Amino acid sequence: MKTIKAFAMVLTLSLFLQACNDDNGSETVISTDEAADEISMSLTTDVTDLASDLVVISDDAKNGRNSSGKVAACGVPYDTTFTKSFTGQFISYNYAVSYGYTLSCSNGAPGSLTYIFSSDGERSTARLSSMGESEGTFTAGGFEVSKANYTLNGSFYRIHSLSQKSGAQRIFNSESEGSLTNLLVNKSTKKIEGGSATFSVTGQSSGGSTYEFTASVTFNGDGTATATINGVVYLINLTTGEVTKQP
């Protein structure tokens, strides 16, 4: 697995979007709206699906089960692979995902879950289409019966070919690094109830045009997340992938 590059996990409100010269002169090669769509891809697929799958994996590990039917045990690694697909108005995707996970225990009681994931496939929004791979490493806590949420921390990395659907219709090689801090996932509903994330994204077209931006994200606990990009605020629906620019 490619080493995830280190970058600040502290939530930041400062963002920038940098445009570089191309053959036709200086112009913005990706808009903040398109940048918001790229963040939406990660939030709606990698993060939201990750949170939902975390509940299933954690429950299975805690109760001594796993997808192969073997009896899970503390300190013993397991893995599983499956596919995800969805076609909607604002986002569509079709990709394979793999998880490897190990449950750590104290005196026989579940304490934390360490797991890695990787995925490979297609994602598409109204403005962008993507083909590529993601991977990440995470630690989950909150196995105590008294706690309603699992807590997830970790980082992930995505590299993909990103195509604009309108305008100049450029194709970019894009790399995105994300970090999750205290993501709260309800054990019953599998929904995200809080936490934050940061993203650092770079991209370059075959013609040499580049873009770079960072984003701060707050999970609102109501099925949405607020992302700030270059001072512009967007509301992202974590289920449908809808991106709405805020006034």
Side-chain angles (χ1 to χ4, degrees), residues 19-145:
C20 295
N21 293 340
D22 64 9
D23 294 338
N24 298 318
S26 179
E27 63 178 325
T28 301
V29 297
I30 188 169
S31 67
T32 54
D33 288 353
E34 290 172 322
D37 268 28
E38 184 165 3
I39 295 300
S40 176
M41 282 185 186
S42 290
L43 293 181
T44 308
T45 57
D46 289 334
V47 177
T48 301
D49 284 349
L50 184 71
S52 178
D53 296 335
L54 166 67
V55 176
V56 176
I57 290 171
S58 297
D59 286 351
D60 282 352
K62 181 174 63 178
N63 293 298
R65 304 186 302 267
N66 65 55
S67 59
S68 65
K70 299 177 182 178
V71 177
C74 296
V76 178
Y78 296 96
D79 59 76
T80 183
T81 300
F82 48 92
T83 59
K84 292 274 189 178
S85 62
F86 174 77
T87 300
Q89 180 181 358
F90 303 104
I91 192 166
S92 300
Y93 52 82
N94 182 17
Y95 60 91
V97 60
S98 298
Y99 289 107
Y101 59 96
T102 304
L103 181 67
S104 298
C105 302
S106 177
N107 297 322
S112 64
L113 186 78
T114 301
Y115 72 115
I116 59 175
F117 88 96
S118 62
S119 68
D120 187 5
E122 303 172 79
R123 287 129 167 118
S124 180
T125 70
R127 301 178 181 91
L128 302 170
S129 61
S130 164
M131 172 68 75
E133 303 175 354
S134 299
E135 59 185 39
T137 303
F138 301 89
T139 300
F143 284 87
E144 297 87 344
V145 176

Side-chain angles (χ1 to χ4, degrees), residues 17 22 61 92 94 106 121 126 149 154 175 191 197 221-222:
L17 185 67
D22 64 9
S92 300
N94 182 17
S106 177
N149 299 319
E175 297 187 24
K191 303 297 184 183
D222 60 358

